Amino acid sequence: MNKITNRQTICKTLMEAAKTDKEIIVLCSDSRGSASMTPFAKEYPEQFIEVGIAEQNLVSVSAGLAPCGKKAFVFSPASFLSTRSYEQAKIDVAYSDTNVKLVGISGGISYGALGMSHHSCQDIAAFTALPDMRVYLPSDRYQTASLVKELLKDKKPAYIRVSRSASTDLYDEKMKITLDKAKIAKKEDGRCDVCFVACGEMVAYAVRVAEELEKEGVKTAVVDMYCLKPFDRGTVIAYAKKSKCMITVEEHSVYGGLGSLVAQTTADEWPIRVKQIGHSSAVV
């Protein structure tokens, strides 16, 4: 079983790139430990900035570094990065189109017993609503590494959410993503009884369920929608056309997340029954 978290993978990938790229700057809000960035801070102290528990300053400082040619990677718990510093992400990063990569660690309900103040079940909805902000939820360590390598090549804003625990391996070291193009985690060439569309660490669970259904004669497919924005509408429609129904699986509110994006896309172009599996909130 894999014990390497996506956080550790990001650190390893950035450390390898920093050997030759001195423009990479890592910023943390008293979170280098929980972000698994302590090795980077020790190896490249001149490329590491600790701002303390000040998430708003964290984002604004990173946005100030970008016009100077720096490649800023910002690390903070997703629960705080998507709320406490939302205005700075909106104005200083998205609207200003700065080369800042916001990494939300321990997304969803990873912090468990710490309660809803530490849960982030609204970050997909929040960040996809920002113009020019891309949103990614990689599913395993190999996809995470490939994503970071691709993001190091461009100068556009992005939000990347990763889990707290190690994710089940779905791919291998040869895996390479096509940026902003969904990955098919379980392929079905013919007609499907059900197509799962999942993101983040939920992809592995979707694959597991799909494989169990296959044993019962149910034809299934799993779309790994790691790119929530830009959203790969083409892949969703292609699988909607060959499926009887779609089920979305996400560690996020059922309002404004992956399920909403899939339902909106299919409603526009190919109406199909869509069942959302996510976190529900009481409607008052």
Side-chain angles (χ1 to χ4, degrees):
M1 177 180 290
N2 171 48
K3 295 183 179 180
I4 301 174
T5 66
N6 292 343
R7 297 172 291 143
Q8 292 172 304
T9 297
I10 295 177
C11 180
K12 180 180 178 181
T13 305
L14 289 178
M15 288 182 68
E16 184 65 28
K19 291 180 180 179
T20 55
D21 190 346
K22 300 307 176 184
E23 302 303 322
I24 295 174
I25 301 292
V26 168
L27 301 92
C28 288
S29 57
D30 193 34
S31 54
R32 73 182 73 180
S34 55
S36 297
M37 293 306 297
T38 299
F40 187 99
K42 291 181 177 179
E43 185 70 22
Y44 303 104
E46 295 183 355
Q47 292 174 249
F48 181 84
I49 298 175
E50 174 61 72
V51 303
I53 305 176
E55 289 82 2
Q56 294 170 327
N57 288 343
L58 175 73
V59 176
S60 289
V61 169
S62 67
L65 290 169
C68 301
K70 302 302 180 181
K71 301 175 182 178
F73 279 76
V74 174
F75 292 82
S76 185
S79 55
F80 306 141
L81 195 58
S82 63
T83 54
R84 199 171 288 173
S85 55
Y86 189 64
E87 183 178 5
Q88 286 69 35
K90 172 185 175 183
I91 304 300
D92 298 341
V93 178
Y95 282 8
S96 301
D97 194 28
T98 52
N99 184 13
V100 173
K101 307 315 192 265
L102 303 170
V103 183
I105 58 176
S106 302
I109 56 173
S110 298
Y111 280 120
L114 291 178
M116 67 174 297
S117 64
H118 282 62
H119 298 171
S120 55
C121 294
Q122 77 300 315
D123 53 340
I124 294 175
F127 281 114
T128 55
L130 297 180
D132 298 320
M133 178 67 76
R134 297 168 299 167
V135 178
Y136 302 104
L137 273 72
S139 58
D140 76 353
R141 53 176 168 158
Y142 299 113
Q143 190 175 62
T144 299
S146 183
L147 174 61
V148 172
K149 290 175 183 177
E150 290 298 318
L151 293 179
L152 279 167
K153 299 175 185 178
D154 70 41
K155 298 182 179 180
K156 302 176 183 177
Y159 171 69
I160 306 98
R161 187 232 266 190
V162 294
S163 59
R164 182 174 179 81
S165 303
S167 300
T168 301
D169 286 341
L170 293 170
Y171 309 108
D172 57 34
E173 61 276 358
K174 297 179 181 179
M175 189 273 185
K176 290 186 179 181
I177 64 167
T178 299
L179 199 61
D180 303 333
K181 179 73 173 179
K183 186 76 174 176
I184 307 304
K186 182 181 180 301
K187 188 176 182 181
E188 175 57 57
D189 294 324
R191 296 284 300 175
C192 298
D193 293 309
V194 57
C195 175
F196 292 91
V197 184
C199 60
E201 63 181 353
M202 294 298 104
V203 178
Y205 292 100
V207 170
R208 187 185 307 173
V209 172
E211 291 174 343
E212 289 300 315
L213 288 174
E214 288 279 355
K215 296 177 183 178
E216 299 180 13
V218 180
K219 293 185 178 181
T220 63
V222 180
V223 176
D224 178 353
M225 190 60 72
Y226 80 92
C227 48
L228 279 296
K229 186 185 175 188
F231 191 68
D232 186 359
R233 295 172 65 93
T235 296
V236 170
I237 296 303
Y239 273 83
K241 288 182 177 180
K242 62 189 290 184
S243 305
K244 294 180 180 179
C245 67
M246 306 188 91
I247 299 177
T248 63
V249 189
E250 60 189 313
E251 194 173 359
H252 187 273
S253 169
V254 294
Y255 302 104
L258 172 63
S260 296
L261 290 167
V262 171
Q264 180 182 15
T265 298
T266 54
D268 282 346
E269 301 186 39
W270 193 269
I272 185 176
R273 185 177 181 183
V274 176
K275 172 65 177 178
Q276 298 182 52
I277 298 178
H279 295 283
S280 300
S281 300
V283 178
V284 179

